[in-house]
Amino acid sequence: MEPRDLSDHTEYVAGQGIEEVARELGRDPSELVKLASNENPFGPSPKAVDAIRESAPGVHHYPKSAHTDLTEAIAAKWAVDSSQIWLSPGGDGALDYLARAMLEPGDTVLVPDPGFAYYEMSSRFHHGTVSRYSIGEATEFALTPETVLDSYQGERIVYLTSPHNPLGGQFTIEAVREIAAATDDETLVIVDEAYGEFAEGESARTLLDQRTDIAVLRTFSKAYGLAGLRLGYTIVPSPWADAYARVNTPFGVSSIACMAGQAALEDDEHVERTVETVKWAREYMRSEIEAPVHESHGNFVMVEVGDGTAVADAMRDRGVIIRDLSSFGLPAHVRITAGTNSETKQAVRELNEVLES
C-alpha cells in the first residue's frame, strides 16, 4: 500500500514554536521572544477569550447557528450578502474551498515566487498544475501588473498576496483591477489579504461590485490574534456564491472559533491597538536596524542580512526567534514580526549586535 505520487508536492515549512526552541536551547520559554510567525503581539482579544470560555460547555453541539451568526456579522462588516462569505478553517481552508470550486484535473494556477507555499500545495492536492511569476530580487520585488501578466498563460487561478509575505509590498487596487481585466473571463484572481488590516488603502472587496472574477481572502489569525483557532473566510462575487454549499467541509469551522470570531469583530479597541503598535514597530525597525529593511505593509519587515540562516541562528541563541527566509528562496534575508515595544527594541538591539560581530 502506497499513497499516490507526491514527488512534485512541496512542503510547508512553518517557523519554530517558542516551546520547541526552548527545549532545544535548554531554556525556559519565558526567556525567549518569538518574532518569527507574524502572530499578534498582544494575543487574542479579551472579549474573544471570554467567548471561548463561555462557549466551551456547548461543544457537543454542531456549530450551525454559530456559523450562521458569524457569517452574518462578517457580511455586515463588508456590506455584502451573507451568501458571499465563505467561512473556512483558516486562510488555507479558504484556498482549498476555492480550488475545489474552480479546478478541474490538469488545470494550471499561477502563484508568486517567493510566496505562500500553500497556494501550490492546495492546487496540487486538487490535481492542478502550477506555474510561477517571479517577484524576487531580479524584478526588484515589484508587485505590478506587468510582473504577473508577463508570466500569465491563461491559468485558471492567479494568486495575488497583498500585502505580500515575506516581501511586505502590496498590489494597488488599480493593479488588481488591471490584472483581472487582462486575464481570461474564466480566470479567477484570488487576492489574499491576510495582512490587510495593517495596510493603507482600499480592500479588493470594492472590486466585487463590478466583477465576478475576483475573490478576496481574509483571516482572523493576524490582527485578531486567533491563529490557534484556525478561522478565515473568503468574500466571493454573488453570481457563484452558492457553490460554497457544494465544496465546504461539513461544520469545518468549530463553534468555539465562530464564537471567538464574533467577539473579536466587536473589539475594535484591540484591533486598533494592534495595528498602531505594528505601524510603530515597522517604522522603528526601518530606522534603527543597521541593514537594509524593506518597506512593509504587513505586521513584519524583511531585512537583508547577507546570510539569513547564520543570523537567525545567532539571534535564536540570544533568545530572539526570527524567520530565516531560505525556504522562500531568499537566503540573504530574514523576516522579523512586529512585537510589543519592548520586544521590538530587544530584537533590533540583538540584531545590530549580531550584524556587527
Side-chain angles (χ1 to χ4, degrees):
M1 177 64 192
E2 294 288 342
R4 65 186 175 98
D5 182 11
L6 301 174
S7 59
D8 61 350
H9 286 237
T10 56
E11 177 185 355
Y12 177 70
V13 181
Q16 283 189 300
I18 197 165
E19 293 82 6
E20 180 183 5
V21 173
R23 285 194 296 268
E24 290 181 2
L25 297 179
R27 298 175 63 174
D28 190 286
S30 64
E31 300 174 12
L32 305 179
V33 172
K34 182 188 177 187
L35 300 176
S37 298
N38 298 342
E39 295 159 340
N40 190 309
F42 301 118
S45 157
K47 293 183 179 180
V49 174
D50 289 343
I52 290 169
R53 292 194 182 101
E54 291 169 8
S55 61
V59 296
H60 58 296
H61 295 299
Y62 288 110
K64 192 174 191 321
S65 61
H67 189 286
T68 300
D69 292 344
L70 177 57
T71 297
E72 291 178 351
I74 297 171
K77 169 183 170 63
W78 291 104
V80 297
D81 189 84
S82 59
S83 66
Q84 294 177 252
I85 302 300
W86 290 15
L87 282 188
S88 58
D92 44 356
L95 296 172
D96 283 340
Y97 292 167
L98 290 166
R100 292 177 196 173
M102 295 296 163
L103 295 182
E104 298 281 0
D107 280 350
T108 303
V109 305
L110 186 62
V111 305
D113 182 20
F116 184 32
Y118 200 75
Y119 300 150
E120 180 171 333
M121 294 170 67
S122 180
S123 299
R124 294 193 189 281
F125 293 158
H126 296 90
H127 303 283
T129 59
V130 178
S131 298
R132 300 176 182 83
Y133 62 92
S134 175
I135 48 175
E137 293 179 272
T139 59
E140 298 181 340
F141 305 113
L143 298 178
T144 64
E146 293 75 21
T147 303
V148 179
L149 295 173
D150 285 351
S151 299
Y152 174 72
Q153 295 184 334
E155 285 83 359
R156 176 62 160 153
I157 296 176
V158 173
Y159 294 90
L160 309 179
T161 318
S162 186
H164 185 278
N165 173 31
L167 307 184
Q170 64 179 338
F171 288 95
T172 65
I173 291 299
E174 291 73 21
V176 176
R177 183 186 289 111
E178 183 176 337
I179 291 166
T183 52
D184 295 344
D185 290 344
E186 294 304 311
T187 293
L188 175 65
V189 177
I190 298 176
V191 186
D192 182 348
E193 294 183 347
Y195 299 93
E197 286 81 7
F198 306 110
E200 302 290 340
E202 292 181 302
S203 164
R205 174 264 172 268
T206 58
L207 301 176
L208 270 65
D209 294 332
Q210 299 88 37
R211 308 196 62 91
T212 64
D213 55 355
I214 295 174
V216 180
L217 185 153
R218 285 270 173 158
T219 183
F220 283 83
S221 294
K222 310 302 180 185
Y224 292 99
L226 300 181
L229 286 181
R230 313 308 303 128
L231 179 61
Y233 61 94
T234 311
I235 313 170
V236 305
S238 57
W240 49 270
D242 60 353
Y244 182 53
R246 295 184 290 278
V247 299
N248 70 325
T249 303
F251 306 112
V253 179
S254 73
S255 57
I256 288 181
C258 287
M259 298 301 289
Q262 289 182 67
L265 281 178
E266 297 169 1
D267 195 347
D268 293 336
E269 182 179 346
H270 181 74
V271 174
E272 289 169 4
R273 178 191 183 202
T274 298
V275 171
E276 288 305 311
T277 299
V278 164
K279 289 180 178 179
W280 172 85
R282 289 188 317 218
E283 292 307 311
Y284 182 83
M285 288 189 280
R286 289 197 77 194
S287 65
E288 299 297 326
I289 291 176
E290 297 171 2
V293 180
H294 292 258
E295 181 182 10
S296 175
H297 300 274
N299 66 338
F300 56 86
V301 296
M302 184 174 75
V303 187
E304 186 175 347
V305 295
D307 186 338
T309 300
V311 168
D313 287 347
M315 289 287 284
R316 190 179 72 153
D317 291 341
R318 290 168 172 259
V320 180
I321 309 167
I322 62 175
R323 186 66 185 265
D324 166 20
L325 294 181
S326 297
S327 64
F328 286 86
L330 298 167
H333 298 76
V334 296
R335 187 190 68 199
I336 307 174
T337 301
T340 63
N341 289 22
S342 61
E343 290 171 343
T344 300
K345 289 179 179 179
Q346 179 181 349
V348 169
R349 182 175 63 251
E350 299 291 352
L351 178 59
N352 286 339
E353 291 184 4
V354 167
L355 294 174
E356 289 173 4
S357 63

